[in-house]
């Protein structure tokens, strides 16, 4: 981070004499129609997809949010709000949920969206032969039925009090009955013009967009970069207008340039270390506890996030109303050594940590953790991979890293902490935890559900396979002539990638 900052300072000095629109630091003013926004980000490759239901990396997510919509969405404050549905409500025991649809929505090819399209979209997500990312959140869905053109019923085989949360995930894309991911049609503010996996995507304004909030732009260009150096250089040399996810160490340096703005969003995003609970040495609860006690969390937040974040406590879903206030876990080297000795490692142990630049801060976190763990006799050998290699086997590594955007507890558990979760990175299968999650799903009383969630979080806190050392702010950077970007709690970059709200200011 320091080396990159020094190099960046030199480039800033070299660029400071350029005549760049917005260099006086004056904002872009009111929304302006037209123009193309060039957005840069690190990552992507041959596996990039146009199918929003299987979005994984940054480019996939940006395409998903801008080409498609879900029935509900999370707003800038992480409140669940209507989108393609005007309401989604349960019956008394949460075994049937009814969605009332907007009647003014058209797809990007001009066809009206109806309940049949919603049914087909959901059935596509839960297809047992090819389940998509959102399938885990719909695990109790028995059937989805079109009552009429604007009403859909979700009938469950057991109560699920958080079904609406699952329907509000950005991967729950609503598409036509005859959807073809090679020729994608959606209801989002933009539609596809061109796509080259691992390189670039061009989206153009959807003339049939139903929303009142934009889009103001004619086009969006999503541009892939191989590394952070190339990304920041592109921003400073005005090759791009905005970049997603800058290293925290560079925020102050970039923000010192009058041509630039930093978007700092407090989120529930987390970058955990994942320990496979079914694989030695992490199948021993004492080893997992020792690794957690080896971490200096405040130092991690300061060094990895440059202070742009909050300390974690080995539990996820910090924005959930039921997030518990347990005693803050702190570094305890002597206790970590004792636990390792009890587990049969009196002289410490050596582990390999698989990592890759999957998110700003992950590689830096690996390096800091390796230094901290050494004090407890834990030798961490870092295996840094390229993105394609890492994602190819990331569920198989005994010790690795991941990242998650802001989610409430039950959707997060569905996605990554249950035996049938698509991304159960720790191979967690604790029977007591599973039973509590299943009870919480079926509990319609908010207070009672919160108590069950707190019990489940206590199990995660005591013996889980995650090291949740902190929650990271989302830091992005953009040229000062770009308007409409605001802090967003979801953890998704650039105002939750809701680029229909963005415009290019006067460049004259």
């Amino acid at each position: 981070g320091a080396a990159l900052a020094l190099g960046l300072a030199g480039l800033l000095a070299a660029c400071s004499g350029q005549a760049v629109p917005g260099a006086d630091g004056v904002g872009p003013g009111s929304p302006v129609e037209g123009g193309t926004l060039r957005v840069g980000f690190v990552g992507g490759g041959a596996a990039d997809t146009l199918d929003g239901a299987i979005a994984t990396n940054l480019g996939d997510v940006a395409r998903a949010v801008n080409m498609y919509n879900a029935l509900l969405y999370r707003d800038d404050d992480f409140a669940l709000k209507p989108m393609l549905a005007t309401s989604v409500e349960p019956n008394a025991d949460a075994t049937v949920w009814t969605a009332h649809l907007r009647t003014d929505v058209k797809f990007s090819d001009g066809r009206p969206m109806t309940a049949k399209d919603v049914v087909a979209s959901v059935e596509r997500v839960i297809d047992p032969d090819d389940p998509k990312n959102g399938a885990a959140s719909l695990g109790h869905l028995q059937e989805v039925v079109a009552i009429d053109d604007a009403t859909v019923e979700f009938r469950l085989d057991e109560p699920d009090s958080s079904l609406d949360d699952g329907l509000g995930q950005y991967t729950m894309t609503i598409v036509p009955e005859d959807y073809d991911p090679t020729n994608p049609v959606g209801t989002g503010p933009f539609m596809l013009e061109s796509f080259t996996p691992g390189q670039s995507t061009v989206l153009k304004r959807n003339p049939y967009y139903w929303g009142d909030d934009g889009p103001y732009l004619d086009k969006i260009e999503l541009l892939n970069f191989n590394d952070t150096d190339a990304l920041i250089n592109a921003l400073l040399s005005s090759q791009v207008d905005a970049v997603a996810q800058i290293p925290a160490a560079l925020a102050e340096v970039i923000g010192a340039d009058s041509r630039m703005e930093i978007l700092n969003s407090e989120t529930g995003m987390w970058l955990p270390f994942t320990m496979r609970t079914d694989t030695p040495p992490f199948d021993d609860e004492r080893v997992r506890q020792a690794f957690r006690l080896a971490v200096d969390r405040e130092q991690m937040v300061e060094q990895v996030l440059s202070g742009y974040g909050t300390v974690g406590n080995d539990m996820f879903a910090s924005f959930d109303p039921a997030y518990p206030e347990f005693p803050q876990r702190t570094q305890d080297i002597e206790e970590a050594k004792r636990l390792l000795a009890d587990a049969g490692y009196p002289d410490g142990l050596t582990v390999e940590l698989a990592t890759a630049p999957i998110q700003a801060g992950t590689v830096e976190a690996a390096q800091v953790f390796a230094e901290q763990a050494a004090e407890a006799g834990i030798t961490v050998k870092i295996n840094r991979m390229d993105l394609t290699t890492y994602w190819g086997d990331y569920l198989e590594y005994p010790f690795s890293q991941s990242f998650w955007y802001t989610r409430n507890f039950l959707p997060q558990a569905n996605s990554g902490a249950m035996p049938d979760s698509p991304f159960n990175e720790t191979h967690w299968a604790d029977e007591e935890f599973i039973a509590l999650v299943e009870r919480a799903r079926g509990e319609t009383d908010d207070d009672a559900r919160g108590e069950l969630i707190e019990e489940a979080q206590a199990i995660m806190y005591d013996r889980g396979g995650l090291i949740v050392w902190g929650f990271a702010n989302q830091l992005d950077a953009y040229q000062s002539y770009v308007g409409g970007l605001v802090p967003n709690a979801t953890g998704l970059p650039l105002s939750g990638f809701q680029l229909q709200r963005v415009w290019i200011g006067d460049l004259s």
Side-chain angles (χ1 to χ4, degrees):
L4 185 54
L6 287 173
L8 177 62
L11 183 56
L12 282 169
C15 294
S16 62
Q18 296 179 1
V20 179
D24 59 0
V26 177
S30 301
V32 177
E33 295 275 349
T36 298
L37 181 74
R38 302 162 298 169
V39 176
F41 53 88
V42 173
D48 285 0
T49 183
L50 294 169
D51 187 348
I54 57 174
T56 302
N57 62 43
L58 277 181
D60 292 345
V61 175
R63 287 182 284 271
V65 173
N66 286 284
M67 293 171 60
Y68 309 100
N69 298 127
L71 295 178
L72 305 166
Y73 81 108
R74 290 282 179 180
D75 71 3
D76 294 323
D77 297 319
F78 202 65
L80 194 61
K81 295 290 184 65
M83 202 170 206
L84 296 181
T86 58
S87 66
V88 179
E89 301 292 341
N91 64 352
D93 63 358
T95 56
V96 178
W97 287 74
T98 302
H100 296 283
L101 309 179
R102 295 183 65 107
T103 57
D104 58 347
V105 176
K106 292 183 178 180
F107 289 108
S108 55
D109 61 1
R111 287 181 289 170
M113 181 200 74
T114 70
K116 290 182 179 179
D117 298 304
V118 173
V119 170
S121 299
V122 174
E123 290 179 341
R124 178 174 179 270
V125 168
I126 63 174
D127 179 359
D129 296 325
D130 185 22
K132 307 302 187 291
N133 292 359
S137 296
L138 304 179
H140 302 306
L141 182 60
Q142 189 172 44
E143 62 178 340
V144 54
V145 179
I147 303 302
D148 56 41
D149 281 351
T151 311
V152 176
E153 271 191 4
F154 298 85
R155 300 170 183 172
L156 314 181
D157 55 19
E158 61 181 80
D160 188 345
S161 59
S162 66
L163 185 80
D164 55 344
D165 207 329
L167 295 175
Q169 301 297 321
Y170 60 82
T171 53
M172 288 299 301
T173 53
I174 303 303
V175 294
E177 284 186 277
D178 59 354
Y179 176 74
D180 176 4
T182 65
N183 185 26
V185 172
T187 62
F190 297 92
M191 55 191 291
L192 185 68
E193 179 170 299
S194 66
F195 173 56
T196 305
Q199 296 183 34
S200 66
T201 306
V202 179
L203 304 179
K204 59 184 179 182
R205 185 200 306 249
N206 173 8
Y208 300 103
Y209 181 55
W210 55 273
D212 297 326
D213 194 6
Y216 305 112
L217 298 162
D218 291 331
K219 293 184 181 182
I220 299 169
E221 292 182 8
L222 303 174
L223 304 172
N224 302 64
F225 289 84
N226 292 327
D227 55 50
T228 300
D229 286 4
L231 179 72
I232 301 303
N233 287 342
L235 176 72
L236 297 177
S237 59
S238 299
Q239 297 175 48
V240 295
D241 306 302
V243 295
Q245 296 183 347
I246 62 169
L250 301 184
E252 290 189 13
V253 182
I254 296 174
D257 184 343
S258 62
R259 303 170 302 149
M260 306 294 167
E261 300 288 344
I262 300 297
L263 183 61
N264 179 13
S265 300
E266 294 186 10
T267 78
M269 178 174 63
W270 46 297
L271 294 77
F273 294 96
T274 59
M275 303 176 285
R276 275 190 61 168
T277 58
D278 64 343
T279 302
F282 301 111
D283 56 348
D284 190 316
E285 180 182 322
R286 293 167 296 185
V287 173
R288 301 197 297 272
Q289 292 172 342
F291 271 58
R292 288 168 154 187
L293 290 172
V295 183
D296 184 333
R297 296 153 198 270
E298 291 186 357
Q299 185 183 61
M300 289 284 280
V301 171
E302 287 302 316
Q303 291 194 3
V304 176
L305 305 178
S306 295
Y308 291 101
T310 56
V311 169
N313 207 19
D314 298 325
M315 299 173 291
F316 48 64
S318 62
F319 273 48
D320 194 303
Y323 186 76
E325 295 294 331
F326 295 152
Q328 177 61 54
R329 184 165 283 138
T330 59
Q331 187 182 52
D332 189 335
I333 296 300
E334 293 307 312
E335 179 64 8
K337 288 180 177 179
R338 186 192 68 79
L339 287 165
L340 290 176
D342 287 351
Y345 303 99
D347 300 318
L349 78 168
T350 299
V351 296
E352 179 178 282
L353 172 59
T355 189
I358 56 175
Q359 181 86 354
T362 50
V363 174
E364 293 84 352
Q367 295 165 342
V368 174
F369 177 79
E371 295 173 1
Q372 294 178 348
E375 298 180 45
I378 301 169
T379 300
V380 178
K381 295 183 176 180
I382 297 175
N383 179 10
R384 177 170 177 169
M385 308 178 190
D386 62 69
L387 290 166
T388 301
T389 303
Y390 185 84
W391 287 125
D393 292 311
Y394 98 102
L395 290 176
E396 304 305 317
Y397 308 126
F399 189 39
S400 62
Q401 290 172 277
S402 182
F403 73 91
W404 291 89
Y405 297 124
T406 313
R407 278 183 171 87
N408 278 348
F409 177 83
L410 288 175
Q412 180 63 58
N414 289 338
S415 295
M418 299 290 278
D420 58 351
S421 297
F423 305 110
N424 187 357
E425 297 149 337
T426 67
H427 295 239
W428 177 244
D430 185 286
E431 292 184 1
E432 187 179 358
F433 178 86
I434 293 167
L436 286 166
V437 171
E438 290 176 345
R439 287 175 59 195
R441 284 174 179 164
E443 180 55 68
T444 57
D445 180 82
D446 290 345
D447 291 338
R449 184 171 60 252
E451 291 176 2
L452 292 168
I453 289 173
E454 183 169 335
E455 289 184 52
Q457 288 274 42
I459 294 171
M460 192 72 81
Y461 175 82
D462 288 336
R463 58 179 184 261
L466 296 166
I467 302 174
V468 184
W469 54 267
F471 296 94
N473 289 14
Q474 175 59 50
L475 296 171
D476 311 301
Y478 59 97
Q479 308 280 358
S480 60
Y481 53 77
V482 175
L485 292 170
V486 297
N488 177 278
T490 64
L492 299 180
L494 296 170
S495 296
F497 276 137
Q498 294 182 51
L499 301 182
Q500 79 277 5
R501 305 185 293 182
V502 176
W503 67 91
I504 300 291
D506 186 3
L507 304 183
S508 60

